[in-house]
Amino acid sequence: AQTVTQSQPEMSVQEAETVTLSCTYDTSESDYYLFWYKQPPSRQMILVIRQEAYKQQNATENRFSVNFQKAAKSFSLKISDSQLGDAAMYFCAYRRSSGGTSYGKLTFGQGTILTVHP
Amino acid sequence: DVKVTQSSRYLVKRTGEKVFLECVQDMDHENMFWYRQDPGLGLRLIYFSYDVKMKEKGDIPEGYSVSREKKERFSLILESASTNQTSMYLCASTNGGRSGNTIYFGEGSWLTVV
């Protein structure tokens, strides 16, 4: 079974600074997707960024970028120029690419609470 | 705008009661999911459905059942609620096909069992 681990329960950053959230995962699959989701106090889950395992290039979405290290099974999220609106719980998630009817499942990490200080 | 709607945002139920949590999506998605979210544990999959009347157990199905009679609706059922089922429950849906497809989440249902 796949597992996802976020070892940082809480992180904090000053506004306009950069912060990196860590995520490691364990899988025997070679093709899969990795995601970072943001959950603000409203509890609505928002997709931040996704990475396809077969792509070596790290995904980027505006101020959000990832460092995907497939061999190390590491998938960290870097937030540049942090804003107050970035404060939220962040979840790392894994999804296998194929394999019968269960391929759609997302496996989540424990979450990291990010605080942004003005 | 895509929508996953969980009809009950906050519920308080008594131990032993039967509880229904309803989820409706308007995107004609094949796959629907129920997760529970607990501090320090993240989101854990309870059940999912890949078609009408089709379901599979997730990682923590004990004490829960589900129903999917129509494509747009996926219900989570607690046959006899217990205090350890106090949690936030999130419903999600996505298209079939490539698993890179975006998964859409509802806003969550807070359940307290007393």
Side-chain angles (χ1 to χ4, degrees), chain B residues 4-44:
Chain B
V4 178
T5 303
Q6 295 180 231
S7 54
S8 301
R9 293 296 313 276
Y10 302 95
L11 304 94
V12 179
K13 298 292 182 180
R14 294 195 179 278
T15 301
E17 275 193 79
K18 190 169 186 176
V19 181
F20 292 87
L21 299 181
E22 305 287 343
C23 176
V24 176
Q25 50 94 2
D26 64 359
M27 297 163 283
D28 202 36
H29 284 166
E30 289 86 2
N31 299 335
M32 297 187 74
F33 308 85
W34 275 108
Y35 288 87
R36 66 175 281 177
Q37 182 177 352
D38 301 286
L41 297 177
L43 278 72
R44 293 177 291 165

Side-chain angles (χ1 to χ4, degrees), chain A residues 45-62:
Chain A
M45 295 282 276
I46 301 164
L47 176 65
V48 175
I49 200 165
R50 93 183 83 204
Q51 174 79 41
E52 300 173 79
Y54 65 87
K55 288 187 177 178
Q56 292 188 334
Q57 186 173 6
N58 290 324
T60 299
E61 288 286 344
N62 301 311

Side-chain angles (χ1 to χ4, degrees), chain A residues 16-84:
Chain A
E17 298 289 303
T18 296
V19 64
T20 299
L21 308 184
S22 300
C23 173
T24 59
Y25 59 95
D26 188 26
T27 183
S28 59
E29 307 281 337
S30 60
D31 192 16
Y32 48 87
Y33 288 83
L34 295 165
F35 304 83
W36 278 99
Y37 278 87
K38 171 185 177 180
Q39 187 182 49
S42 69
R43 295 291 176 169
Q44 182 67 61
M45 295 282 276
I46 301 164
L47 176 65
V48 175
I49 200 165
R50 93 183 83 204
Q51 174 79 41
E52 300 173 79
Y54 65 87
K55 288 187 177 178
Q56 292 188 334
Q57 186 173 6
N58 290 324
T60 299
E61 288 286 344
N62 301 311
R63 297 183 294 108
F64 298 88
S65 61
V66 298
N67 183 5
F68 173 49
Q69 302 288 328
K70 190 172 184 180
K73 295 180 181 175
S74 170
F75 182 61
S76 60
L77 174 69
K78 185 171 85 170
I79 306 174
S80 303
D81 186 26
S82 297
Q83 300 175 0
L84 294 177

Side-chain angles (χ1 to χ4, degrees), chain B residues 56-75:
Chain B
E56 280 198 26
K57 293 180 181 178
D59 301 315
I60 52 165
E62 297 78 18
Y64 303 93
S65 62
V66 290
S67 171
R68 194 166 180 203
E69 297 296 318
K70 293 185 178 182
K71 192 174 185 181
E72 67 270 18
R73 186 181 299 270
F74 190 36
S75 302

